[in-house]
Amino acid sequence: MSAMIQSLQDNFSRQPVAPGGDYVHQVREKAMKEFLNTGLPGPRDEYWKYTRLRIFAKRTFGLPQENAITGSDFGIKNLDAIRIVFVDGLYSPALSDESAFAENGIRLLADALRDDSGLAGGLLPQPDPAIHQFAALNRAFQDQGVVLELAAERELPRPLYLLFHSQKTGQDTASHPRILIRSGAGSKASVIEHYNGEEKTAGFCNALTEIDLASGAQLTHYRIQTESDTAFHVGSLFARQAEDSRLVSHNLSLGGRLARTNMQFELMGRGAELVLNGLYLVSGKQHIDNHTLVNHRKPGASSFQDYRGILNDKARAVFCGKAVVHPDAQQTVATQSNRNLLLSHGAEIDTQPVLEIYADDVQCSHGATVGQLDTNALFYLKTRGVPEDEARSLLTFAFAEDVVLRLENQTLRNAITEHLIGRLPEMKNTDELVTT
Amino acid sequence: MSKNNILLSINKLSVSIDDKPILRDLSLQVAAGEVHAIMGPNGSGKSTLAQVLAGREGYEVSGEVSYLGEDLLDLSPEERAWRGLFLAFQYPVEIPGVNNVYLLKAALNAQRKYRGEAPLDAFEFLTVIQEKMKLMQIDESFLNRSVNAGFSGCEKKRNEILQMVVLEPRLAVLDETDSGLDIDAMKIVANGVNTMRDPERAIVLVTHYQRLLDYIKPDKVHVLADGQIVRSGGPELALKLEEKGYDWLRQEAVSA
Amino acid sequence: MSKQNQELEKFVGGQYKHGFVTDIQSDTIPPGLDESVVRLVSKKKKEPEFMLDWRLQAFAHWQTMETPVWAHVHYPPIDFQEISYFSAPKTPDDAPRSLDEVDPKLLETYDKLGIPLHERARLAGVAVDAVFDSVSVATTFKAKLAESGVIFCPFSEAVREHPALLEQYLGSVVPYADNFYACLNSTVFTDGSFVFIPKGVRCPMELSTYFRINEAKTGQFERTLIIAEEGSHVSYLEGCTAPMRDENQLHAAVVELIALDDARIKYATVQNWYPGDAEGRGGIYNFVTKRGDCRGDNSHISWTQVETGSAITWKYPSCILRGDHSVGEFYSVAVTNNLQQADTGTKMIHIGKNTKSTIISKGISAGRASTAYRGLVKVLTGATGARNFTQCDSLLMGDRCAAHTFPYIEVKEPDAQIEHEATTSKIGEDELFYCRQRGIEEEDAVNMIVNGFCKEVFKELPMEFAVEAQNLLAVSLEGAVG
């Protein structure tokens, strides 16, 4: 047994009593068994073909502990939102807008489980633990997290901003935040999940999000991961969409030593629309792996996917995007695009855009590219007097910009732009060239 | 006009799509030798009429359409084509990988087969087509290109008319053939259509603007609005429409 | 006997159907595979020592392997001990004696394809060799080839006549341990083709298995090796455009191509093995390993395939782009109808500098069939200037068929440019209506559009092949629309 599993097992036996009593306790026990049955993905696991967990399997992670809040810089500045902050894996009332919870259908997970222990099983049918062992692991440790339940026709007045912040403390901890979002018919909301860590934090964050959209519901979901480049992050997201619902998922994977997201979407009704907008930026020795699966289960739904990646240094990125059109899901429109920019020797990209189609009246396409900056564009910029390095950064930024421009929230858009500028070395002098 | 001369007789044709009515009780008679122009604002149902005549599926259709004494609505699209009904598409379809020349030859020989004539061999066919291409001022390299793939809007329309002059239909329905044409192409297209005028043949021009009618003189002009023919007349009606716009008719209809 | 076993017997033991059980003749050995069988096969082929050693090594390795399950195909497990590993050539008793004994459906298809009468008998496996003048054709052929130093002979002959070449090249592209079926083939292959084009020679004619009629029934575990020395050119046509009568359920062939500096190999396949009937009964399992090694600088290997047959097709003709400036190409049309399944594609491994690969794949699924494209484009560190373009299109005909695309792109070289595009759609209603408005009947319109869809691949085939491939498509898709 790996050191990591050992430490998780140890955590499991020492974790605080389950909120919500016996039933939740049983769900946790069962989930832990399921996790242990599957274990960590091994080298023969097709689903983890390009991502090995060797270095993390050797590490140990402790239980979250209450630490003094040392910093003052928490998350995205000036964001007009309902804030809920978790520091080092634990809810921080001091940094959260508790007063806004009740009126907006927001509860902390522990409170929600006490009200209704049935929530322990999640909102959606449970994913196969043989593939989604990390979702099972999250279930086994459920305690910290947020439940948003929006009544029919309700509109969340401000975005819900969930910040999971890791401080540089003595110990590397494993946290398992759990976010459940249930949107009633015709409701409207925007939720921002932000996983952030101070430099050199090396914990393991195993987050899970479930989204259930009733007919006509609209949700804009942001997943922003800017953990330290020594952290280990796994994120699972499962969403189900009824007819005429619309889900926009922005997935920005920017941090982590090793970060993996598994996102799975079930389109269950006519007129359902899904937009997946993703960006990954890796440098140093980072390894970022994004897996998306879109299941078109009923006729007349659409999905549009655009993921872009920028790879620098010795970093590695993996993209596996799969769209499945199930039998009888006629009039499906599914498009997928994955573009990658390789900027240096030693960087590696593995991309796998997959279509599985069992219906005929469909319009499906995918495209994947791997390439460099356009030499014609570089030349053009140089003839206009832009120095080579700047020109490179500018074009790199432009490559990512389409994805960034799709972020509806302007404050967020600016923050991400700033992050990108900070990550592109020669970009610093060219701030004024970038319009946001 | 004797009844024998009537090529196409539309009687109370109603067409809807997903329960949304597009044509309502439309009636129209087209005799051999005539050129009819059907004009009307966008959304009046002009293109639907053309598509239904050619046998496009997906519409709910009621009423009667008789063509050369047969029930047209009973025939498949290809059976209509074999009987000499030709539709010049408003948006000609691109078929990647299929040569123009191949499509044309297959189309012509399918009609000949229906008429009990021997198919043309490659040489005979080329003789026919070269002459027609000269008429339409189309370069020969065009034959080996895929059907409409990568053509400009103008080339596509000329290709439609080339197909028409090769297939020599009895009834040609030209759906907005003038849209997207520059003035030179318009003259070439009009010239192609005019060579087709013949006492045995009828032509129905579906158009939004009067300008094509400067080059192809219609015998009759009909104005289609909200799925019905609201006014019929001679070429002067088209000129009046050009001058006063479609609103003029609407206002008249309201005041009447 | 359990129900599953009966199924198996039906699938694997084609011979049983024809009551061919105990009448073991000198050139047929009982079902089952062990070391003695391997020795026996080698002995019957009068092979030199090195060949037997190789087979035995392969067999030892094969026993440690498991059947692959990753392909997107479904079939009952195969019992490899139920197969007879030396049953070729077929005994005359086993074959139909005249065309009257041949499945009328098959004959109907030959008719549609315009296959000449005397050809039909050969394709249907009628045991009357004498009707053909093929032997003389082959002989004339051989003489002409020999003039230019080209060796083109049955594999078994090459093992005996050219052992040095075999020892040098056999298994150098597809090692016996490569995969389960390649390993099985290495253990028990019976025959196939061997081609050697010496330095600087342009092979004076297209080589084709067609001219080796006497070897036509070696299909089950066929092995082909083509070596093109520096600056040489060869074009090789494999297969046959009419459905072959064949009773072997399992086909596990291996093809190895080696191109040295400036050499060029063009390999075209039209595969139309028996696909099974409309209910999915019978049909060939075609599990083939084909790989080309662009070993030399500026070498060029091009695969073209038209796959319309077999119940299950599982093949990935690949190119290892080892030499600098080497070029790999893969052009494929895969058609499935009824209950056929195809999982096919390619691998392009970029190793040398400035290597280039092109993949054009057209999949057509009809009925309840499924077609999958599976492809790997891999750019290793140091393969600067690597370029790949991939276009994968799928056409669906009927609401119960399936089309899948599984591309894998792995890039470790920042200088590489990879472009992959794929589309899936049903046959266009607008295109169909347009053709029908011009008077073309629906089925003809479908054929016209499908052939247009496949044009980029067909143009890579030699002319006479291209025409037959088009007809073949029409036959395969009969009844797919309407």
Side-chain angles (χ1 to χ4, degrees), chain A residues 39 48 100 117 182 218 234 248 321 323 341 379 382:
Chain A
W48 290 79
S117 59
R182 177 143 50 199
Q218 293 188 33
V234 175
V248 180
L341 201 53
F379 175 72
K382 286 195 276 185

PDB file of all heavy atoms in Angstrom, chain A residues 39 48 100 117 182 218 234 248 321 323 341 379 382:
ATOM      1  N   GLY A  39      -8.336   1.958  -5.398  1.00  0.00           N
ATOM      2  CA  GLY A  39      -6.979   2.432  -5.135  1.00  0.00           C
ATOM      3  C   GLY A  39      -6.580   3.558  -6.075  1.00  0.00           C
ATOM      4  O   GLY A  39      -7.403   4.064  -6.851  1.00  0.00           O
ATOM      5  N   TRP A  48      -6.110   7.099 -17.064  1.00  0.00           N
ATOM      6  CA  TRP A  48      -4.999   7.884 -16.516  1.00  0.00           C
ATOM      7  C   TRP A  48      -3.729   7.634 -17.326  1.00  0.00           C
ATOM      8  O   TRP A  48      -2.613   7.753 -16.819  1.00  0.00           O
ATOM      9  CB  TRP A  48      -4.760   7.517 -15.039  1.00  0.00           C
ATOM     10  CG  TRP A  48      -5.854   7.993 -14.137  1.00  0.00           C
ATOM     11  CD1 TRP A  48      -7.078   7.412 -13.958  1.00  0.00           C
ATOM     12  CD2 TRP A  48      -5.852   9.153 -13.300  1.00  0.00           C
ATOM     13  NE1 TRP A  48      -7.823   8.140 -13.062  1.00  0.00           N
ATOM     14  CE2 TRP A  48      -7.094   9.213 -12.632  1.00  0.00           C
ATOM     15  CE3 TRP A  48      -4.914  10.155 -13.045  1.00  0.00           C
ATOM     16  CZ2 TRP A  48      -7.429  10.227 -11.741  1.00  0.00           C
ATOM     17  CZ3 TRP A  48      -5.242  11.163 -12.142  1.00  0.00           C
ATOM     18  CH2 TRP A  48      -6.495  11.195 -11.510  1.00  0.00           C
ATOM     19  N   ALA A 100     -25.533  36.573   4.107  1.00  0.00           N
ATOM     20  CA  ALA A 100     -26.239  36.444   2.821  1.00  0.00           C
ATOM     21  C   ALA A 100     -26.672  35.008   2.523  1.00  0.00           C
ATOM     22  O   ALA A 100     -27.328  34.747   1.518  1.00  0.00           O
ATOM     23  CB  ALA A 100     -25.339  36.959   1.706  1.00  0.00           C
ATOM     24  N   SER A 117     -29.829  14.384   5.834  1.00  0.00           N
ATOM     25  CA  SER A 117     -28.677  13.494   5.677  1.00  0.00           C
ATOM     26  C   SER A 117     -28.679  12.824   4.299  1.00  0.00           C
ATOM     27  O   SER A 117     -27.655  12.339   3.830  1.00  0.00           O
ATOM     28  CB  SER A 117     -28.658  12.440   6.782  1.00  0.00           C
ATOM     29  OG  SER A 117     -29.854  11.683   6.728  1.00  0.00           O
ATOM     30  N   ARG A 182     -27.990  22.954  -6.815  1.00  0.00           N
ATOM     31  CA  ARG A 182     -29.253  22.526  -7.420  1.00  0.00           C
ATOM     32  C   ARG A 182     -29.998  23.765  -7.872  1.00  0.00           C
ATOM     33  O   ARG A 182     -30.366  24.597  -7.063  1.00  0.00           O
ATOM     34  CB  ARG A 182     -30.078  21.737  -6.412  1.00  0.00           C
ATOM     35  CG  ARG A 182     -31.434  21.333  -6.944  1.00  0.00           C
ATOM     36  CD  ARG A 182     -31.899  19.972  -6.509  1.00  0.00           C
ATOM     37  NE  ARG A 182     -31.805  19.763  -5.068  1.00  0.00           N
ATOM     38  CZ  ARG A 182     -31.797  18.550  -4.509  1.00  0.00           C
ATOM     39  NH1 ARG A 182     -31.870  17.470  -5.247  1.00  0.00           N
ATOM     40  NH2 ARG A 182     -31.712  18.419  -3.205  1.00  0.00           N
ATOM     41  N   GLN A 218     -30.260  28.410 -15.704  1.00  0.00           N
ATOM     42  CA  GLN A 218     -29.017  28.885 -16.301  1.00  0.00           C
ATOM     43  C   GLN A 218     -27.951  29.009 -15.225  1.00  0.00           C
ATOM     44  O   GLN A 218     -28.210  29.583 -14.178  1.00  0.00           O
ATOM     45  CB  GLN A 218     -29.220  30.253 -16.927  1.00  0.00           C
ATOM     46  CG  GLN A 218     -30.136  30.222 -18.135  1.00  0.00           C
ATOM     47  CD  GLN A 218     -30.161  31.567 -18.837  1.00  0.00           C
ATOM     48  OE1 GLN A 218     -29.168  32.272 -18.859  1.00  0.00           O
ATOM     49  NE2 GLN A 218     -31.308  31.892 -19.403  1.00  0.00           N
ATOM     50  N   VAL A 234      -6.984  17.394  -7.392  1.00  0.00           N
ATOM     51  CA  VAL A 234      -7.890  16.614  -8.232  1.00  0.00           C
ATOM     52  C   VAL A 234      -9.261  17.251  -8.117  1.00  0.00           C
ATOM     53  O   VAL A 234      -9.741  17.501  -7.012  1.00  0.00           O
ATOM     54  CB  VAL A 234      -7.964  15.140  -7.801  1.00  0.00           C
ATOM     55  CG1 VAL A 234      -9.016  14.393  -8.628  1.00  0.00           C
ATOM     56  CG2 VAL A 234      -6.616  14.458  -7.952  1.00  0.00           C
ATOM     57  N   VAL A 248     -22.691  27.126 -18.631  1.00  0.00           N
ATOM     58  CA  VAL A 248     -21.419  27.576 -19.177  1.00  0.00           C
ATOM     59  C   VAL A 248     -20.353  27.230 -18.147  1.00  0.00           C
ATOM     60  O   VAL A 248     -20.454  27.643 -16.994  1.00  0.00           O
ATOM     61  CB  VAL A 248     -21.425  29.089 -19.455  1.00  0.00           C
ATOM     62  CG1 VAL A 248     -20.081  29.520 -20.018  1.00  0.00           C
ATOM     63  CG2 VAL A 248     -22.547  29.442 -20.421  1.00  0.00           C
ATOM     64  N   GLY A 321     -10.916  14.979 -24.338  1.00  0.00           N
ATOM     65  CA  GLY A 321     -12.288  15.464 -24.419  1.00  0.00           C
ATOM     66  C   GLY A 321     -13.107  14.479 -25.206  1.00  0.00           C
ATOM     67  O   GLY A 321     -12.739  14.101 -26.311  1.00  0.00           O
ATOM     68  N   ALA A 323     -16.998  13.336 -26.543  1.00  0.00           N
ATOM     69  CA  ALA A 323     -18.427  13.591 -26.686  1.00  0.00           C
ATOM     70  C   ALA A 323     -19.064  12.287 -27.129  1.00  0.00           C
ATOM     71  O   ALA A 323     -18.602  11.653 -28.079  1.00  0.00           O
ATOM     72  CB  ALA A 323     -18.675  14.683 -27.711  1.00  0.00           C
ATOM     73  N   LEU A 341      -0.278  25.363 -27.706  1.00  0.00           N
ATOM     74  CA  LEU A 341       0.891  26.123 -28.093  1.00  0.00           C
ATOM     75  C   LEU A 341       2.068  25.572 -27.302  1.00  0.00           C
ATOM     76  O   LEU A 341       2.074  25.595 -26.076  1.00  0.00           O
ATOM     77  CB  LEU A 341       0.624  27.582 -27.701  1.00  0.00           C
ATOM     78  CG  LEU A 341       1.397  28.687 -28.371  1.00  0.00           C
ATOM     79  CD1 LEU A 341       1.290  28.578 -29.880  1.00  0.00           C
ATOM     80  CD2 LEU A 341       0.824  30.033 -27.905  1.00  0.00           C
ATOM     81  N   PHE A 379       6.755  38.046 -37.550  1.00  0.00           N
ATOM     82  CA  PHE A 379       7.467  38.909 -38.486  1.00  0.00           C
ATOM     83  C   PHE A 379       6.752  40.252 -38.626  1.00  0.00           C
ATOM     84  O   PHE A 379       7.366  41.312 -38.576  1.00  0.00           O
ATOM     85  CB  PHE A 379       7.587  38.212 -39.845  1.00  0.00           C
ATOM     86  CG  PHE A 379       8.205  39.065 -40.895  1.00  0.00           C
ATOM     87  CD1 PHE A 379       9.564  39.358 -40.857  1.00  0.00           C
ATOM     88  CD2 PHE A 379       7.442  39.603 -41.923  1.00  0.00           C
ATOM     89  CE1 PHE A 379      10.145  40.159 -41.821  1.00  0.00           C
ATOM     90  CE2 PHE A 379       8.014  40.409 -42.885  1.00  0.00           C
ATOM     91  CZ  PHE A 379       9.372  40.686 -42.842  1.00  0.00           C
ATOM     92  N   LYS A 382       7.325  42.403 -35.728  1.00  0.00           N
ATOM     93  CA  LYS A 382       8.697  42.912 -35.691  1.00  0.00           C
ATOM     94  C   LYS A 382       8.884  44.059 -36.684  1.00  0.00           C
ATOM     95  O   LYS A 382       9.546  45.037 -36.393  1.00  0.00           O
ATOM     96  CB  LYS A 382       9.703  41.793 -35.926  1.00  0.00           C
ATOM     97  CG  LYS A 382       9.825  40.894 -34.683  1.00  0.00           C
ATOM     98  CD  LYS A 382      11.050  40.002 -34.730  1.00  0.00           C
ATOM     99  CE  LYS A 382      10.752  38.747 -35.533  1.00  0.00           C
ATOM    100  NZ  LYS A 382      11.859  37.797 -35.521  1.00  0.00           N
TER     101      LYS A 382
END
